[in-house]
mmCIF file of all heavy atoms in Angstrom:
data_model
loop_
_atom_site.group_PDB
_atom_site.id
_atom_site.type_symbol
_atom_site.label_atom_id
_atom_site.label_comp_id
_atom_site.label_asym_id
_atom_site.label_seq_id
_atom_site.Cartn_x
_atom_site.Cartn_y
_atom_site.Cartn_z
ATOM 1 N N LEU B 322 39.216 7.489 42.110
ATOM 2 C CA LEU B 322 39.343 7.716 40.671
ATOM 3 C C LEU B 322 39.112 9.193 40.365
ATOM 4 O O LEU B 322 37.968 9.624 40.154
ATOM 5 C CB LEU B 322 38.320 6.870 39.895
ATOM 6 C CG LEU B 322 38.436 6.966 38.368
ATOM 7 C CD1 LEU B 322 39.665 6.212 37.879
ATOM 8 C CD2 LEU B 322 37.182 6.439 37.690
ATOM 9 N N PRO B 323 40.174 9.982 40.357
ATOM 10 C CA PRO B 323 39.974 11.416 40.090
ATOM 11 C C PRO B 323 39.420 11.647 38.682
ATOM 12 O O PRO B 323 39.960 11.137 37.701
ATOM 13 C CB PRO B 323 41.370 12.026 40.246
ATOM 14 C CG PRO B 323 42.320 10.893 40.360
ATOM 15 C CD PRO B 323 41.568 9.637 40.628
ATOM 16 N N VAL B 324 38.311 12.375 38.612
ATOM 17 C CA VAL B 324 37.639 12.644 37.337
ATOM 18 C C VAL B 324 37.446 14.153 37.170
ATOM 19 O O VAL B 324 36.955 14.819 38.077
ATOM 20 C CB VAL B 324 36.262 11.937 37.279
ATOM 21 C CG1 VAL B 324 35.483 12.344 36.024
ATOM 22 C CG2 VAL B 324 36.439 10.417 37.316
ATOM 23 N N ASN B 325 37.842 14.656 36.029
ATOM 24 C CA ASN B 325 37.655 16.072 35.686
ATOM 25 C C ASN B 325 38.254 16.997 36.747
ATOM 26 O O ASN B 325 37.565 17.773 37.402
ATOM 27 C CB ASN B 325 36.173 16.380 35.434
ATOM 28 C CG ASN B 325 35.671 15.645 34.209
ATOM 29 O OD1 ASN B 325 36.464 15.060 33.475
ATOM 30 N ND2 ASN B 325 34.387 15.672 33.978
ATOM 31 N N THR B 326 39.572 16.898 36.847
ATOM 32 C CA THR B 326 40.304 17.577 37.912
ATOM 33 C C THR B 326 40.393 19.087 37.717
ATOM 34 O O THR B 326 40.841 19.796 38.612
ATOM 35 C CB THR B 326 41.719 16.981 38.014
ATOM 36 O OG1 THR B 326 42.324 17.006 36.711
ATOM 37 C CG2 THR B 326 41.659 15.537 38.497
ATOM 38 N N ASN B 327 39.964 19.562 36.554
ATOM 39 C CA ASN B 327 39.928 21.025 36.338
ATOM 40 C C ASN B 327 38.568 21.614 36.732
ATOM 41 O O ASN B 327 38.404 22.823 36.779
ATOM 42 C CB ASN B 327 40.226 21.363 34.865
ATOM 43 C CG ASN B 327 39.231 20.716 33.909
ATOM 44 O OD1 ASN B 327 38.449 19.850 34.304
ATOM 45 N ND2 ASN B 327 39.266 21.125 32.659
ATOM 46 N N GLY B 328 37.602 20.750 37.004
ATOM 47 C CA GLY B 328 36.232 21.205 37.263
ATOM 48 C C GLY B 328 35.300 20.883 36.114
ATOM 49 O O GLY B 328 34.086 21.066 36.215
ATOM 50 N N GLY B 329 35.878 20.425 34.982
ATOM 51 C CA GLY B 329 35.076 19.950 33.855
ATOM 52 C C GLY B 329 34.258 21.031 33.173
ATOM 53 O O GLY B 329 34.402 22.226 33.442
ATOM 54 N N GLY B 330 33.408 20.569 32.283
ATOM 55 C CA GLY B 330 32.498 21.498 31.600
ATOM 56 C C GLY B 330 31.450 22.045 32.553
ATOM 57 O O GLY B 330 30.862 23.092 32.319
ATOM 58 N N LEU B 331 31.231 21.332 33.649
ATOM 59 C CA LEU B 331 30.220 21.758 34.608
ATOM 60 C C LEU B 331 30.664 22.980 35.402
ATOM 61 O O LEU B 331 29.842 23.816 35.761
ATOM 62 C CB LEU B 331 29.890 20.605 35.572
ATOM 63 C CG LEU B 331 29.090 19.447 34.970
ATOM 64 C CD1 LEU B 331 29.131 18.232 35.889
ATOM 65 C CD2 LEU B 331 27.642 19.856 34.714
ATOM 66 N N SER B 332 31.971 23.068 35.705
ATOM 67 C CA SER B 332 32.415 24.173 36.576
ATOM 68 C C SER B 332 33.657 24.915 36.095
ATOM 69 O O SER B 332 33.950 25.982 36.621
ATOM 70 C CB SER B 332 32.693 23.640 37.993
ATOM 71 O OG SER B 332 31.483 23.423 38.689
ATOM 72 N N CYS B 333 34.386 24.357 35.110
ATOM 73 C CA CYS B 333 35.620 25.044 34.688
ATOM 74 C C CYS B 333 35.396 25.875 33.431
ATOM 75 O O CYS B 333 35.467 27.100 33.466
ATOM 76 C CB CYS B 333 36.748 24.039 34.469
ATOM 77 S SG CYS B 333 38.292 24.799 33.913
ATOM 78 N N VAL B 334 35.139 25.205 32.341
ATOM 79 C CA VAL B 334 35.065 25.907 31.048
ATOM 80 C C VAL B 334 34.211 25.083 30.084
ATOM 81 O O VAL B 334 34.307 23.858 30.067
ATOM 82 C CB VAL B 334 36.485 26.145 30.477
ATOM 83 C CG1 VAL B 334 37.211 24.814 30.252
ATOM 84 C CG2 VAL B 334 36.473 26.965 29.208
ATOM 85 N N HIS B 335 33.357 25.750 29.331
ATOM 86 C CA HIS B 335 32.600 25.052 28.288
ATOM 87 C C HIS B 335 32.174 26.027 27.203
ATOM 88 O O HIS B 335 31.048 26.492 27.180
ATOM 89 C CB HIS B 335 31.382 24.325 28.858
ATOM 90 C CG HIS B 335 30.781 23.370 27.866
ATOM 91 N ND1 HIS B 335 30.041 23.794 26.773
ATOM 92 C CD2 HIS B 335 30.844 22.034 27.776
ATOM 93 C CE1 HIS B 335 29.685 22.737 26.068
ATOM 94 N NE2 HIS B 335 30.154 21.665 26.652
ATOM 95 N N PRO B 336 33.106 26.337 26.301
ATOM 96 C CA PRO B 336 32.756 27.234 25.198
ATOM 97 C C PRO B 336 32.228 26.456 23.994
ATOM 98 O O PRO B 336 32.894 26.353 22.973
ATOM 99 C CB PRO B 336 34.083 27.926 24.889
ATOM 100 C CG PRO B 336 35.147 27.000 25.404
ATOM 101 C CD PRO B 336 34.524 25.955 26.259
#
Side-chain angles (χ1 to χ4, degrees):
Chain B
L322 184 73
V324 173
N325 295 351
T326 52
N327 59 348
L331 288 166
S332 283
C333 179
V334 60
H335 193 286

